[in-house]
Amino acid sequence: MTATTRTHLDELENQSIFIFREAYRAFKNIAMPWSMGKDSNVLIWLACKSFFGKVPFPVLHIDTTYEFPEMLEFRDWATKQYKLNLIVQINTEARARGIGYETHDPVTVTHELKTVALQQALAEYKWDALITGIRRDEDPTRAKERYFSPRNAQFEWDYKDQPPEFWAQFASAPAKGEHVRVQPLLDWTEVDIWRYIQREEIPIPKMYFARDGKRFRSLGCSPITHPIASTASTIDEIIAELEGTRTTERAGRAQDHHERNAMQKLRAKGFL
Amino acid sequence: MKQQENPQSAIRNPQFSAATPLKIVFVGHVDHGKSTLIGRILHDTDSLPDGKIDMIKKACAAEGMEFEFAFLLDALLEEQKQNVTIDTTEIAFRTSRRNYIIIDAPGHKEFLKNMITGASRADAAVLVIAADEGVREQSRRHAYLLRLLGIKQLIVVVNKMDLAEFSEKRFAEVESEYRKFLIDLSLEVRAFIPTSAKTGENVARASEKIKWYRGPTVLEALDLFEPRKADVDLPLRFCVQDVYRFDQRRIVAGRIETGTLRVGDELVFSPANKSSVVATIERWNAPADGAAMSGDSIGITLSEQIFVERGYVASHQSDTPIETNRFHADLFWIVREPLRVGRLYNLRLATQEVKCQVVSIEQVMDSSTLEAKIDKCEQLERNEVGRLTIQTRGPLVIDNHERIPNLGRFVIVEEGGIRGGGTIFGGVYTDRRVAKSQNIFWSEGKITARERAVRSGHRGAVVWFTGLSGAGKSTIAQALERELFNRAMHTCVLDGDNVRHGLNSNLGFSPEDRVENIRRVSEVAKLMADAGAVVITAFISPYRMERRRAREIALEGNAEFIEVFIDAPLEVCETRDPKNLYKKARAGEIRDFTGIDAPYEAPEDAEIVVRTDRQSVDESVATILEQLLPRLKADEPND
């Protein structure tokens, strides 16, 4: 690679790999939540790049039991493809209590089936760091994130008092009960993700591409994730479509709109 | 010219270019109008998502407030309540020339750490001064920090000109006062621009109200900044993050901070000063490439298997970094608890981490007045900058900040958190004298093994070599001792030479005496390990039974015991026969010689095994170090 050929994507990739390796070294017990969404698959890809073909820590799927069948199919295929150590976590206790989209509001259900399920997994496996696919451009609350972002024992994100982070040095010592969110995609934008998927030919679920005039821009639980009107059936068409739009990426995710500051509330409680 | 009229700004969403955006940090005193200026730039370059302004106008109406451009940034509810930007925010926009990312740095005094977090990533800076209030404390402090962070491109915006009646005289006053300050700092400024962000004067369009000004608008001045270049012309510094062995490859992974690296290059690894040649550059799912350059996260394999670990810095022989344990630095401190002379901190520089102490503070600088305070040199308070001398426990690989910034800056860490950052301005090359301990935190009572380990940076241990005569025990023990010593570890070798002549001078070579010999060595090794040393014993110690006892004795003293099998076939040892002992044994001049007429019971579960018939001394030592060092780490839960 020479100075003239390095692109913005190369720079993002280099930075993400650096962060992956710092995290792998800094923490004893790491896991990587994996939603099978596009960002999540980019993370897996970057982990392979960082560790030369091996993902050296478990990947965690928080199964809400409202997953699209196509996503589960993709999960099983990719688990074999990348030789992943897959852990599936379901909040069976909440489901037994009858928590579900049929009867409860999306914020409650998301909290129970995603955040609480994650807390349960953390309590069981005692991970000290989670590698997540958070990007700064996703939501205003995420603009203020760090590459290494501590969460306290109650899972809260103290966005008013975050550790300083400069010169490629990160806060790396969670106290007992705390864990650190490691965020290698922080500097990436939605379009960077697509361009990288295109360049690297990263496998992603087919639901991102238009069928019958509709496609999913962001993927969550099936009852509350709605496709957008679209004819984009290739990555080039998706990028062209995104260039013309000004609505936000998560516009199709119902839990974000249910009440004012929903995203901020979810995040302060530990939502990814 | 209004930005909207520019046909190229038709690309509405600024994220869409594949080029790397230029990162700009906005700094300046609180309430001088940074957020308003940013809001105005976003608006005038048409960079806001649909509905954003309406949303904020509605929110303002609901709270009975007048709409302001600054609110665009204060997306969090709490911020609007406090009316202070609490943290760095990143927002993209584009001009006809290129893409930008704005890092909004706050002006509030308490948020220095956030400003540093934001500004450290910037390519260039915009410093905002309100025309009515003029140059204030943070106008000066922020410029000082920009210089410390190594940001060289700067424009100054004299905002709120509407509150100074667009007066040329007022503008000239502010400019002249601040220029003088910047000259003292040796910071170069590209432009001084009079603006009113509230109404957009001289932001995206030349102002009708400030006709006396003929310089660039803010956007024009931004477009004159240059993107940061990859530091390919500087000497090679490849900083090792880790060594992976996920498959048969042994990959040294890290980032090239500066320079370029090619397959076939001979690399020198500091601080060990061992060299090896780059065999391959490893990448996953990428075309093979024989070269890599600054900024690349890569892995390499080496043609000779020397010991390499995290923290090592590879360079070319022609231009190696400074290796020292004492240097001078300018250091800014960002937490409430002051920095104290003599206190033990961790220091991180690139991927290195060592224990350090501040030996002396030569000067404390008031970053607002640039006046040096020499009366108080025992500690450094939050927001102060000190010029000081630091001593580290082990060797540190550095460069001067002026020459190679990435290897010339470091952070001070305590309990895993960053407390301050510094830049190095003069390495002392040869001074390895240990400073007198200035430790002012005494504790009382019995000293625990843990305390000793924290003090010395490693745990005590017994490293028990076993193997035939001529297998290489003494040679490897000495080489290992040197490696540990170079890492500033307390270590010593016990072998026949230093034990037989003194402690055990009354013992011969009968079976009973040999057993007693080993028993005494075991006891001495335990005592020394208890005192914090890494004791390497080099005795044949042929019987499993006596080695097991040595282990039990060490464990009684709570010392780590690591058995190392120095393995070589008898024929090889007999050929080497460094002391002619095998010949004498074969001739019957020595009785009960291990391997000839006495048995050697090879270990069944030694912690470490080296094969000296296949591995060189250096390779054997590398194998041992790789497995030994992690076991010697001082156990510090929050560190």
Side-chain angles (χ1 to χ4, degrees):
Chain A
M1 201 168 298
T2 62
T4 48
T5 60
R6 188 152 69 191
T7 64
H8 183 45
L9 283 184
D10 293 329
E11 286 183 18
L12 291 171
E13 181 191 66
N14 277 320
Q15 171 74 351
S16 298
I17 291 172
F18 180 80
I19 290 163
F20 260 108
R21 290 176 178 163
E22 286 299 286
Y24 185 58
R25 183 65 189 227
F27 303 104
K28 289 193 184 82
N29 197 5
I30 295 187
M32 186 160 78
W34 178 43
S35 69
M36 290 87 71
K38 61 184 193 316
D39 305 71
S40 227
N41 290 317
V42 167
L43 269 187
I44 300 251
W45 195 261
L46 287 167
C48 289
K49 290 242 175 187
S50 305
F51 307 111
F52 305 97
K54 183 182 174 73
V55 180
F57 33 72
V59 296
L60 170 72
H61 177 220
I62 302 286
D63 186 342
T64 61
T65 69
Y66 290 95
E67 306 293 326
F68 289 101
E70 273 189 77
M71 297 294 272
L72 293 178
E73 229 172 81
F74 181 87
R75 179 185 79 186
D76 296 338
W77 173 84
T79 300
K80 274 196 204 124
Q81 180 71 17
Y82 296 108
K83 300 190 176 65
L84 300 176
N85 172 10
L86 173 70
I87 296 172
V88 177
Q89 185 79 19
I90 299 174
N91 186 354
T92 46
E93 176 274 330
R95 289 298 279 141
R97 272 192 288 125
I99 303 282
Y101 289 109
E102 299 79 2
T103 48
H104 294 71
D105 67 274
V107 171
T108 306
V109 180
T110 310
H111 176 71
E112 288 282 349
L113 298 188
K114 285 195 171 172
T115 307
V116 175
L118 179 63
Q119 283 167 341
Q120 290 166 345
L122 266 169
E124 185 177 344
Y125 296 99
K126 310 214 166 7
W127 292 306
D128 51 8
L130 293 178
I131 297 174
T132 77
I134 303 300
R135 303 192 321 266
R136 280 206 183 94
D137 73 328
E138 278 178 286
D139 183 278
T141 61
R142 290 179 174 180
K144 310 198 167 198
E145 276 287 6
R146 300 286 199 254
Y147 297 115
F148 281 40
S149 178
R151 296 293 190 277
N152 70 12
Q154 283 72 50
F155 248 52
E156 287 157 348
W157 176 43
D158 188 356
Y159 50 84
K160 282 191 196 167
D161 184 27
Q162 296 184 76
E165 196 169 77
F166 53 96
W167 298 343
Q169 302 292 348
F170 314 101
S172 56
K176 220 176 162 58
E178 290 189 357
H179 73 279
V180 172
R181 300 273 169 93
V182 177
Q183 321 196 115
L185 299 183
L186 208 52
D187 294 337
W188 296 57
T189 63
E190 189 180 7
V191 180
D192 293 330
I193 294 285
W194 281 115
R195 288 218 168 95
Y196 191 66
I197 289 170
Q198 183 177 43
R199 181 181 98 173
E200 300 282 320
E201 299 177 3
I202 302 172
I204 53 165
K206 299 231 178 341
M207 298 165 70
Y208 284 109
F209 301 101
R211 275 176 296 194
D212 308 323
K214 285 183 172 177
R215 71 173 197 92
F216 289 88
R217 190 172 167 198
S218 172
L219 285 165
C221 294
S222 59
I224 58 161
T225 304
H226 307 299
I228 56 168
S230 168
T231 55
S233 60
T234 65
I235 292 179
D236 277 328
E237 287 169 12
I238 288 174
I239 292 173
E241 180 188 284
L242 289 173
E243 293 194 14
T245 181
R246 285 189 170 200
T247 52
T248 62
E249 181 179 0
R250 298 177 62 91
R253 304 278 281 268
Q255 81 265 29
D256 295 4
H257 304 295
H258 182 70
E259 55 179 311
R260 209 167 154 220
N261 301 313
M263 195 64 192
Q264 191 183 330
K265 282 182 187 171
L266 280 170
R267 297 216 70 209
K269 281 162 137 182
F271 183 68
L272 287 175
Chain B
M1 180 173 65
K2 262 198 185 300
Q3 200 65 28
Q4 290 96 313
E5 292 159 15
N6 189 323
Q8 288 185 59
S9 71
I11 299 171
R12 306 172 86 198
N13 193 328
Q15 303 171 3
F16 285 88
S17 162
T20 303
L22 193 92
K23 295 196 187 76
I24 325 166
V25 62
F26 283 66
V27 294
H29 203 77
V30 65
D31 281 337
H32 278 202
K34 293 183 301 295
S35 295
T36 306
L37 178 60
I38 292 167
R40 170 56 71 177
I41 288 173
L42 294 178
H43 178 264
D44 289 2
T45 57
D46 200 17
S47 303
L48 294 161
D50 281 340
K52 187 88 180 178
I53 288 192
D54 285 345
M55 191 185 94
I56 289 162
K57 280 185 175 160
K58 257 185 233 162
C60 287
E63 315 237 338
M65 295 162 80
E66 196 186 332
F67 169 77
E68 285 181 31
F69 278 105
F71 293 156
L72 291 171
L73 288 183
D74 302 336
L76 290 179
L77 202 64
E78 275 85 348
E79 286 186 48
Q80 289 173 16
K81 273 186 196 151
Q82 292 182 4
N83 209 13
V84 173
T85 316
I86 59 162
D87 200 343
T88 54
T89 309
E90 293 204 356
I91 295 167
F93 73 95
R94 82 174 267 147
T95 65
S96 54
R97 170 108 193 270
R98 68 173 154 223
N99 290 332
Y100 292 88
I101 285 180
I102 296 176
I103 303 166
D104 172 41
H108 203 280
K109 191 174 174 179
E110 283 170 36
F111 300 128
L112 178 68
K113 66 186 164 85
N114 294 320
M115 183 224 151
I116 288 164
T117 301
S120 67
R121 302 173 55 233
D123 302 300
V126 175
L127 196 140
V128 183
I129 301 174
D132 56 335
E133 287 196 11
V135 178
R136 299 296 291 268
E137 183 195 344
Q138 285 156 54
S139 321
R140 290 186 284 251
R141 188 187 298 279
H142 287 173
Y144 188 83
L145 286 165
L146 290 177
R147 200 202 58 152
L148 269 187
L149 292 167
I151 292 168
K152 299 212 168 83
Q153 308 188 82
L154 171 70
I155 62 169
V156 176
V157 170
V158 181
N159 191 34
K160 303 196 186 180
M161 284 301 292
D162 51 317
L163 299 182
E165 292 156 351
F166 301 105
S167 150
E168 183 173 11
K169 183 166 162 285
R170 178 60 189 151
F171 175 73
E173 278 167 17
V174 174
E175 177 177 359
S176 127
E177 180 189 353
Y178 200 60
R179 261 195 203 278
K180 191 182 166 302
F181 177 81
L182 293 177
I183 288 167
D184 290 346
L185 268 185
S186 48
L187 251 184
E188 194 192 327
V189 63
R190 301 288 178 89
F192 266 86
I193 309 171
T195 67
S196 168
K198 204 172 165 187
T199 53
E201 312 300 322
N202 281 341
V203 177
R205 59 170 172 84
S207 172
E208 295 293 315
K209 293 175 179 146
I210 313 179
K211 287 225 163 104
W212 46 264
Y213 174 76
R214 290 194 182 78
T217 63
V218 173
L219 291 187
E220 284 164 354
L222 293 182
D223 280 347
L224 291 175
F225 285 142
E226 292 127 40
R228 202 183 322 200
K229 288 187 220 75
D231 299 318
V232 282
D233 298 329
L234 291 173
L236 171 68
R237 298 290 182 260
F238 172 58
C239 295
V240 177
Q241 284 182 283
D242 219 329
V243 179
Y244 299 132
R245 214 180 278 92
F246 295 121
D247 46 35
Q248 71 289 349
R249 294 171 297 177
R250 178 172 174 271
I251 299 178
V252 179
R255 185 162 73 178
I256 301 178
E257 298 295 336
T258 53
T260 57
L261 178 153
R262 287 182 178 79
V263 169
D265 281 2
E266 182 169 17
L267 301 183
V268 180
F269 287 86
S270 304
N273 278 319
K274 292 261 159 63
S275 51
S276 189
V277 173
V278 180
T280 59
I281 295 175
E282 299 286 332
R283 291 186 175 97
W284 182 78
N285 205 57
D289 195 335
M293 66 167 192
S294 73
D296 284 346
S297 289
I298 55 162
I300 59 173
T301 62
L302 298 172
S303 56
E304 195 198 342
Q305 297 312 310
I306 57 168
F307 177 77
V308 174
E309 66 178 338
R310 179 180 171 87
Y312 279 29
V313 180
S315 62
H316 291 128
Q317 184 72 64
S318 56
D319 215 333
T320 52
I322 300 166
E323 200 183 307
T324 185
N325 65 346
R326 208 175 161 107
F327 58 87
H328 301 295
D330 286 328
L331 183 106
F332 54 85
W333 196 247
I334 50 186
V335 291
R336 191 181 302 272
E337 177 72 22
L339 168 94
R340 290 180 208 282
V341 168
R343 191 179 167 98
L344 208 52
Y345 295 100
N346 279 11
L347 181 150
R348 291 189 196 155
L349 191 159
T351 57
Q352 304 171 82
E353 178 154 8
V354 291
K355 288 258 186 288
C356 78
Q357 280 169 297
V358 174
V359 178
S360 59
I361 301 177
E362 278 79 52
Q363 215 178 66
V364 176
M365 181 83 90
D366 184 320
S367 56
S368 161
T369 60
L370 297 190
E371 270 166 28
K373 294 181 261 181
I374 6 181
D375 54 320
K376 39 167 296 190
C377 285
E378 280 304 305
Q379 58 183 49
L380 199 61
E381 306 279 349
R382 178 157 65 166
N383 294 343
E384 283 180 338
V385 178
R387 178 155 284 200
L388 35 80
T389 304
I390 290 180
Q391 170 141 339
T392 58
R393 278 292 159 87
L396 189 68
V397 182
I398 63 170
D399 280 288
N400 289 326
H401 186 250
E402 280 217 342
R403 180 149 190 260
I404 303 182
N406 290 13
L407 268 287
R409 60 199 192 190
F410 61 92
V411 296
I412 297 290
V413 172
E414 205 176 24
E415 291 167 353
I418 295 172
R419 304 290 188 248
T423 56
I424 296 168
F425 64 85
V428 181
Y429 285 73
T430 52
D431 193 354
R432 293 289 180 93
R433 284 171 302 172
V434 180
K436 280 180 202 148
S437 172
Q438 298 208 31
N439 208 312
I440 51 176
F441 293 89
W442 299 105
S443 43
E444 292 177 0
K446 186 171 163 22
I447 299 161
T448 65
R450 199 188 122 83
E451 281 177 277
R452 283 187 212 279
V454 168
R455 167 71 63 84
S456 57
H458 65 86
R459 301 160 65 183
V462 177
V463 182
W464 192 279
F465 282 19
T466 174
L468 292 169
S469 176
K473 295 184 298 299
S474 294
T475 311
I476 294 171
Q478 271 168 29
L480 177 63
E481 182 189 31
R482 171 58 64 185
E483 286 288 337
L484 297 179
F485 183 79
N486 287 349
R487 286 172 173 74
M489 296 169 78
H490 302 295
T491 181
C492 75
V493 171
L494 294 178
D495 60 13
D497 286 343
N498 61 15
V499 172
R500 280 272 176 192
H501 299 302
L503 178 68
N504 292 354
S505 60
N506 62 332
L507 299 177
F509 288 88
S510 68
E512 304 81 56
D513 279 6
R514 290 181 75 168
V515 168
E516 174 61 11
N517 181 43
I518 294 301
R519 188 193 70 78
R520 289 187 196 174
V521 169
S522 307
E523 291 288 353
V524 171
K526 174 188 88 172
L527 291 175
M528 294 177 81
D530 189 29
V534 178
V535 189
I536 305 161
T537 67
F539 297 87
I540 298 173
S541 47
Y543 303 111
R544 279 186 204 121
M545 183 64 194
E546 60 185 1
R547 294 195 301 263
R548 191 180 314 141
R549 251 185 77 194
R551 184 184 294 268
E552 283 162 8
I553 289 168
L555 293 179
E556 278 167 27
N558 284 319
E560 178 105 357
F561 184 91
I562 297 136
E563 190 171 344
V564 182
F565 184 18
I566 309 295
D567 189 12
L570 179 64
E571 317 81 72
V572 173
C573 295
E574 197 168 348
T575 318
R576 289 178 185 158
D577 205 5
K579 297 175 195 161
N580 282 326
L581 294 171
Y582 284 98
K583 266 189 212 90
K584 287 179 186 165
R586 290 283 184 202
E589 291 166 31
I590 308 174
R591 289 281 184 83
D592 300 324
F593 191 73
T594 304
I596 305 298
D597 54 352
Y600 178 77
E601 298 172 6
E604 286 165 339
D605 49 4
E607 276 85 355
I608 302 171
V609 179
V610 293
R611 287 289 305 256
T612 63
D613 55 326
R614 296 179 196 159
Q615 293 172 282
S616 68
V617 171
D618 279 355
E619 286 172 334
S620 300
V621 170
T623 302
I624 296 170
L625 281 174
E626 220 158 70
Q627 299 178 64
L628 179 63
L629 290 180
R631 291 168 179 269
L632 300 180
K633 285 236 168 81
D635 180 28
E636 291 169 84
N638 288 319
D639 207 322

